Amino acid sequence: MSAEASIVPAGVLDAGEILTVQRAAYLSEAQHYTDPFLPPLTETLDEVAAVLAGPSIVLAARLEHRLVGSVRAHLDGDTAHIGRLSVAPDQQGRGLGAQLLTAIERVCAGRAARFTLFTGADSTRNLRLYQRHGYRIVAHRPDPNGIPLAVLEKTAVSPARSDA
């Protein structure tokens, strides 16, 4: 009796729910890296609302009236920087992360030649998800707290171009 999630554009009024799901989703990462100060955990409600009001694209996954996940992308030239992919802990492992990733790529299609994102270098579940969707590790770097990150990229598929 599992309902299908709908993925819709998020608005400023979703900020509280997005922050709640984001914090819950990133707790396991914080425990894994023994760092309670990961940026998704220290972001404030005002900061989330500002992202929602700004030029970034933010999508929310809903099961009926409940927000169960979100993802955002910021376009910079021909690159879409994807971030804050979050799924409520009780909904993880059901394909919502993949649905959100596919949806944000689709929304950015035609405006981005490539997608980039990062995750913890030791976050094997996240890395598997991204690699299944065509992302490749292109670099490693530490975050501001010294946590090792893997930077991943993917070339956007453009159906309009046949000269590739």
Side-chain angles (χ1 to χ4, degrees):
M1 191 157 143
S2 66
E4 182 73 21
S6 61
I7 298 178
V8 297
V12 175
L13 295 177
D14 296 315
E17 287 179 286
I18 287 173
L19 183 60
T20 300
V21 168
Q22 179 177 295
R23 285 183 175 170
Y26 277 87
L27 276 177
S28 60
E29 288 288 291
Q31 290 168 339
H32 178 80
Y33 292 101
T34 61
D35 184 357
F37 301 106
L38 296 178
L41 296 175
T42 60
E43 192 171 36
T44 67
L45 181 60
D46 287 343
E47 288 169 335
V48 173
V51 168
L52 288 161
S56 292
I57 300 161
V58 183
L59 300 178
R62 290 192 170 277
L63 285 174
E64 297 180 9
H65 296 293
R66 180 182 172 209
L67 192 144
V68 293
S70 66
V71 64
R72 43 178 105 157
H74 173 75
L75 292 164
D76 182 13
D78 66 352
T79 301
H81 299 275
I82 297 173
R84 299 292 201 271
L85 178 60
S86 307
V87 175
D90 69 314
Q91 298 298 316
Q92 291 176 5
R94 300 180 184 193
L96 275 175
Q99 290 174 17
L100 282 162
L101 185 59
T102 299
I104 198 77
E105 289 175 355
R106 193 169 37 247
V107 169
C108 294
R111 296 188 272 176
R114 70 184 180 121
F115 301 103
T116 185
L117 54 83
F118 61 85
T119 191
D122 298 328
S123 300
T124 53
R125 196 168 153 186
N126 296 346
L127 288 167
R128 274 198 313 268
L129 167 69
Y130 298 135
Q131 289 172 331
R132 271 196 320 267
H133 286 267
Y135 287 81
R136 298 289 168 253
I137 297 172
V138 296
H140 286 90
R141 66 174 171 83
D143 80 351
N145 301 332
I147 301 296
L149 300 175
V151 179
L152 295 95
E153 286 185 2
K154 173 182 176 177
T155 302
V157 177
S158 176
R161 286 183 44 188
S162 60
D163 60 326

